[in-house]
Amino acid sequence: MNKNIFNILAAAMFVLGLASCSSDEPSDVSIFPTDKQPTNEFDEWLLRNFTYPYNVQVTYRLNDIETDNNYTVVPADQVKAAKLAKLVKYMWFDAYDEVAGHEFLKTYAPRMIMMVGSGMYQSQGTVILGYATGSIKIALCNVNNLEDETFRDIETLNSWYLSTLHHEFQHILNQKVAYDRAFEAISQGDYVSGNWYQMRNEDSYDSDGNLVQGAYSLGFVRNYAMQEAAEDFAETMSDYIVYTDEKFEYIKKCAGGANSKGWLKIQEKIDFIRNYMQSAYNINIDELRTVVQRRAKEIDKLDLEHLD
């Protein structure tokens, strides 16, 4: 048995030796593509508006290395990606530039924004519309499900993307400058970890007629904030920026009114974040909110069909 193995190995080495001696010159044909992928008008626009001024790479072509291999995803449609990129520039980058100056996002923005065509669906039935990887990358998913009218629908844009951008960016800022852990004490005991998706925003009643408090009356801007303190911080900040006055009036009403425990907790969290952003980054979140709200009313005027 051992002799046969030795003979087989010797024969294999002999064949390899002949193959290696057959030519000292490399083949003219490579199995790996070496040509640089040609750029188009959209690529050039991304360079002018994101890469050169902010050192941020915006990608829409699917790159397996950059995606989460736990999910099956597809590339983003180029036309829809271009429209979304213009909205991201106007509603996020330009808004922060107006309030904090150009150098702020140039310094703190993630180095990559990746657009993915499909959503990332989880076993419990929820879908990931965006996520951040450290302070390096923010991914925006489900781009291919955007319809023409969706690009003018600020509520959907906020829900799918703009709130996600502010949320994930807040995580990045918190990683740069940690917030005081006293924030966690505001809703201590009310965080539900991975069971957040089972919670409702509004109060409800169970099958026995017992009142089940929702996220609002417990002091959260929505149920996802109930996962943990870090998510609560980021979600409260992002929703404060993008929610309208009418939306907050609705939350106040559902929480039980201006003097209810739930609403007072939400206000306490907003005050905490206001002080954090002012002291850590010299940003007035009320001014930022005013700018974002104004721009939200202007999206109908944006030319999303052409790249300037």
Side-chain angles (χ1 to χ4, degrees):
M1 179 77 67
N2 291 336
K3 182 177 179 181
N4 289 336
I5 292 175
F6 177 82
N7 290 336
I8 292 171
L9 289 174
M13 293 175 65
F14 178 75
V15 171
L16 288 173
L18 290 177
S20 64
C21 295
S22 62
S23 174
D24 291 330
E25 297 297 327
S27 171
D28 292 335
V29 180
S30 172
I31 63 172
F32 300 104
T34 56
D35 295 335
K36 184 178 179 180
Q37 191 167 13
T39 59
N40 54 42
E41 183 184 7
F42 180 36
D43 296 322
E44 296 297 331
W45 185 90
L46 291 174
L47 289 173
R48 292 195 307 272
N49 287 274
F50 289 96
T51 306
Y52 297 152
Y54 299 102
N55 194 27
V56 173
Q57 179 186 8
V58 179
T59 67
Y60 61 96
R61 297 184 176 96
L62 195 62
N63 186 339
D64 287 344
I65 295 177
E66 299 295 344
T67 58
D68 189 333
N69 292 327
N70 292 314
Y71 301 92
T72 301
V73 294
V74 300
D77 176 85
Q78 181 178 315
V79 173
K80 295 182 178 183
K83 293 180 179 181
L84 182 58
K86 294 199 76 170
L87 283 165
V88 168
K89 175 71 164 56
Y90 186 75
M91 291 298 302
W92 189 40
F93 278 77
D94 292 350
Y96 265 103
D97 277 3
E98 187 175 338
V99 174
H102 177 76
E103 290 299 318
F104 179 77
L105 280 184
K106 186 177 180 180
T107 302
Y108 295 109
R111 294 306 97 191
M112 176 183 290
I113 298 175
M114 179 177 68
M115 291 185 278
V116 180
S118 55
M120 300 168 63
Y121 294 88
Q122 298 179 294
S123 58
Q124 70 266 38
T126 58
V127 57
I128 297 175
L129 296 176
Y131 64 92
T133 303
S135 59
I136 304 299
K137 175 178 64 182
I138 290 180
L140 299 176
C141 308
N142 217 35
V143 174
N144 294 353
N145 283 330
L146 286 166
E147 302 294 342
D148 289 342
E149 58 271 18
T150 312
F151 290 104
R152 306 296 182 179
D153 181 355
I154 190 61
E155 289 191 10
T156 300
L157 290 173
N158 281 338
S159 177
W160 285 19
Y161 300 113
L162 301 178
S163 179
T164 298
L165 281 168
H166 287 291
H167 178 109
E168 299 300 346
F169 185 49
Q170 191 61 47
H171 281 313
I172 291 174
L173 294 179
N174 290 349
Q175 289 169 8
K176 301 289 186 182
V177 179
Y179 58 81
D180 192 321
R181 295 304 173 185
F183 179 85
E184 300 175 1
I186 299 173
S187 286
Q188 189 173 15
D190 289 328
Y191 295 112
V192 296
S193 189
N195 293 323
W196 66 267
Y197 69 94
Q198 297 177 342
M199 303 295 297
R200 294 177 57 112
N201 289 325
E202 299 86 356
D203 291 350
S204 59
Y205 291 88
D206 62 20
S207 57
D208 296 325
N210 299 313
L211 176 66
V212 179
Q213 286 187 293
Y216 298 151
S217 61
L218 287 171
F220 299 92
V221 290
R222 75 180 186 93
N223 59 352
Y224 184 71
M226 300 181 70
Q227 183 172 5
E228 61 176 357
E231 298 301 331
D232 191 10
F233 193 110
E235 192 65 20
T236 303
M237 170 62 176
S238 64
D239 288 352
Y240 180 69
I241 297 302
V242 304
Y243 278 175
T244 62
D245 290 340
E246 292 76 16
K247 177 67 173 180
F248 272 109
E249 283 300 318
Y250 175 77
I251 293 175
K252 182 197 297 184
K253 179 181 178 181
C254 292
N259 296 318
S260 65
K261 290 183 179 180
W263 180 249
L264 291 175
K265 283 185 178 182
I266 291 173
Q267 291 301 299
E268 185 178 359
K269 291 173 185 178
I270 292 173
D271 288 341
F272 191 104
I273 295 169
R274 181 182 289 114
N275 293 332
Y276 165 85
M277 289 295 288
Q278 189 68 59
S279 61
Y281 294 104
N282 195 31
I283 289 181
N284 185 321
I285 65 171
D286 299 300
E287 182 182 356
L288 179 61
R289 181 175 187 270
T290 298
V291 170
V292 169
Q293 294 292 321
R294 188 198 75 228
R295 287 175 175 269
K297 297 175 182 178
E298 299 170 348
I299 61 171
D300 285 340
K301 302 175 184 178
L302 288 181
D303 179 5
L304 300 178
E305 305 301 325
H306 305 90
L307 295 170
D308 48 23

